[in-house]
Amino acid sequence: MGRQIAAFKDRYQVVVWDMRGHGESDYPSDAKAYSEALTVGDMQGGPGRRRAKQAVIAGLSLGGYMSLAYHASHAASTRALMLFDTGPGFKKDAAREQWNERARSRADDLESRGLAALGASDEVRQSKHRDAKGLAGARAACWRRTTTG
């Protein structure tokens, strides 16, 4: 991501943030501190967001889903939306429940094996995750899908 920021920072205000339980953010121990609504609130009130009338919002994976959730409730402040490797919406209950089971399983794996559950990809090596419990909390709360879409 460093090269991406470098490419844009001279022409645009670039705000980079880590959602709760990720990177350099807080890692709350209370499971109630992780939710889609709280994440969208964090995005709305985060550094730099108060100054910009509209923003290009981008997100990868779970961050992409949270960016979509942000846009759904703050469309007027979203100039463009870029989503990468983001989970799908579901029209069928069975497919949604299969996704939810995967999210629960992934959270359980993070709880039991810690950061080793992430593997050793370039993305993982470059990440700044301090604790797997925050990742597990975010996955358990924010990956779960309850509606069609």
Side-chain angles (χ1 to χ4, degrees), residues 6-139:
F8 291 107
K9 71 178 179 66
D10 292 337
R11 293 178 288 158
Y12 303 98
Q13 177 185 15
V14 177
V15 177
V16 179
W17 69 283
D18 292 322
M19 70 182 285
R20 296 175 191 202
H22 289 73
E24 297 179 3
S25 71
D26 291 337
Y27 284 64
S29 57
D30 183 357
K32 293 177 184 173
Y34 299 93
S35 72
E36 181 177 311
L38 289 171
T39 301
V40 168
D42 290 345
M43 293 172 76
Q44 175 64 20
R49 289 296 301 134
R50 289 181 213 90
R51 293 186 297 275
K53 289 182 181 179
Q54 285 194 314
V56 175
I57 308 292
L60 170 70
S61 188
L62 179 55
Y65 183 79
M66 292 296 108
S67 296
L68 183 59
Y70 175 87
H71 172 70
S73 58
H74 299 89
S77 65
T78 307
R79 181 174 177 198
L81 190 60
M82 300 185 315
L83 308 175
F84 304 93
D85 295 331
T86 299
F90 296 98
K91 295 183 187 275
K92 296 183 180 180
D93 292 341
R96 185 174 42 261
E97 187 48 42
Q98 185 177 20
W99 175 269
N100 288 340
E101 179 53 39
R102 180 175 172 239
R104 283 188 292 272
S105 175
R106 187 72 171 132
D108 290 346
D109 191 28
L110 284 162
E111 286 280 348
S112 67
R113 294 194 308 135
L115 293 175
L118 297 176
S121 70
D122 287 342
E123 178 185 355
V124 170
R125 282 193 299 277
Q126 293 175 21
S127 72
K128 297 177 181 178
H129 301 307
R130 299 185 311 267
D131 185 330
K133 291 190 184 297
L135 296 174
R139 279 182 170 67

